[in-house]
Amino acid sequence: MKPPLLLIGQGSNDDADSAEFGRFVHRLRCRLDQKAADVSGGYLERATPRLSDSVASLVARGHHRLVALPLSLNRVGEEYPAAMEREQQRHPTLMYDYGRPLGPDPRVLALLAERLNDAATEMPRLRPLEVVGGRPRLRAVEAGVADLQPGHVEPGETAVVLVGEGSTDPSANAEIHRVSRLFWETHAYDFMTVETAFVSVTPPGVPGGLERCRRLGAKRVIVVPYLLFAGGLLERVWAQALAYGAGHPELDIRCAEVIGDCETLADVVIDRYEEALQLVP
């Protein structure tokens, strides 16, 4: 039997994010079950199951070697390996191999392109937030006379804002700028530009990215979240975009979905898992 795969999430207080993480772990469990490999997932903080509980469960089932993989698009800080070192101290028989984070894998960029193209499809403009199940959600409404869409907008008149989480680590923020450039040159070269923005912590925020696109002359701007799963961060991106759009009704602002739980994302994770196994002596 192959060593189990342990997915490590940062963790948040958002139930939607946790639910999608759990569904993705289940998808991988079904996929890797054919290869006789167990799959588990745990969070560093704020959400359950905690990493320590998942590791303890694997050890209790007789696993003493595993592949630990940060489920992250961003540059991974020291907290991930530090957490695994603590688990090794708790379980002296435990050995682990560390898999590479997902990063801007070509298949991840292709998924972003799919979300971009879905948002670019001609449809009613997204309008104000309404409360659904206690959370603000976007809804599409029929455009009134004063809200008619502009005429056909060419890709060259459309800009893209790629939105990362934002970090106190300058290298992590620089990586998001790198992803924006890669995305533009590989999948969005017909568009006017791909600008970079961040949800929080560091500028420019989403409004700053949108304003730059407006000043460049864009008629339409599509906000593409560089995020894995839906949740509070996605809602903040949408809310910031809608707040900016309320003051600039002449600009057609659209918000794409996150990458989400899907087979292609599972393919990337499984490749990282297999890659780590090949490094085992």
Side-chain angles (χ1 to χ4, degrees):
M1 187 172 183
K2 290 185 176 182
L5 168 62
L6 174 65
L7 295 175
I8 308 175
Q10 179 66 51
S12 73
N13 296 319
D14 190 274
D15 293 339
D17 180 272
S18 299
E20 196 159 10
F21 179 88
R23 288 193 294 270
F24 187 65
V25 170
H26 178 72
R27 180 188 297 274
L28 284 165
R29 189 172 290 136
C30 294
R31 290 276 301 270
L32 288 177
D33 181 62
Q34 303 168 12
K35 299 184 178 183
D38 199 353
V39 179
S40 187
Y43 293 104
L44 295 181
E45 57 185 354
R46 296 196 297 273
T48 57
R50 289 295 178 91
L51 177 64
S52 56
D53 295 332
S54 296
V55 171
S57 177
L58 289 170
V59 172
R61 297 203 298 272
H63 297 295
H64 296 281
R65 182 161 206 149
L66 56 84
V67 173
L69 178 68
L71 194 60
S72 174
L73 293 172
N74 304 314
R75 184 185 179 91
V76 174
E78 292 300 318
E79 65 269 24
Y80 288 85
M84 288 306 302
E85 287 178 11
R86 288 193 295 271
E87 295 309 314
Q88 206 167 32
Q89 292 171 3
R90 291 190 183 101
H91 307 279
T93 63
L94 178 67
M95 300 181 67
Y96 66 92
D97 301 286
Y98 204 62
R100 288 192 298 128
L102 306 183
D105 184 281
R107 289 162 293 184
V108 170
L109 296 180
L111 286 171
L112 288 177
E114 289 180 16
R115 306 299 177 261
L116 170 62
N117 292 332
D118 288 344
T121 303
E122 297 295 334
M123 57 184 164
R125 171 188 314 210
L126 290 173
R127 279 304 180 199
L129 298 171
E130 65 176 358
V131 176
V132 178
R135 290 186 173 277
R137 302 288 184 187
L138 291 176
R139 61 188 178 95
V141 299
E142 293 298 327
V145 175
D147 278 333
L148 290 176
Q149 291 284 348
H152 176 71
V153 178
E154 295 289 340
E157 300 172 306
T158 302
V160 178
V161 177
L162 186 85
V163 184
E165 289 187 31
S167 171
T168 55
D169 179 1
S171 297
N173 297 328
E175 178 67 13
I176 304 300
H177 283 275
R178 174 175 172 268
V179 173
S180 294
R181 185 69 194 191
L182 283 171
F183 185 55
W184 190 12
E185 294 201 8
T186 57
H187 291 90
Y189 42 81
D190 288 336
F191 291 86
M192 174 186 291
T193 183
V194 176
E195 296 295 322
T196 304
F198 300 94
V199 181
S200 61
V201 181
T202 188
V206 176
L210 291 168
E211 176 64 13
R212 179 167 174 79
C213 294
R214 186 188 70 82
R215 293 189 180 191
L216 288 172
K219 293 182 179 179
R220 174 177 294 159
V221 184
I222 301 174
V223 177
V224 178
Y226 187 56
L227 303 171
L228 280 177
F229 301 134
L233 284 177
L234 176 62
E235 290 170 0
R236 288 171 67 181
V237 171
W238 283 354
Q240 290 177 39
L242 285 168
Y244 178 88
H248 300 85
E250 78 287 355
L251 191 60
D252 180 8
I253 299 175
R254 302 187 175 198
C255 298
E257 294 284 352
V258 292
I259 291 170
D261 166 31
C262 63
E263 285 297 314
T264 301
L265 186 63
D267 290 340
V268 178
V269 171
I270 290 172
D271 282 355
R272 295 289 191 272
Y273 169 71
E274 296 288 354
E275 176 187 86
L277 289 181
Q278 291 174 7
L279 299 177
V280 176

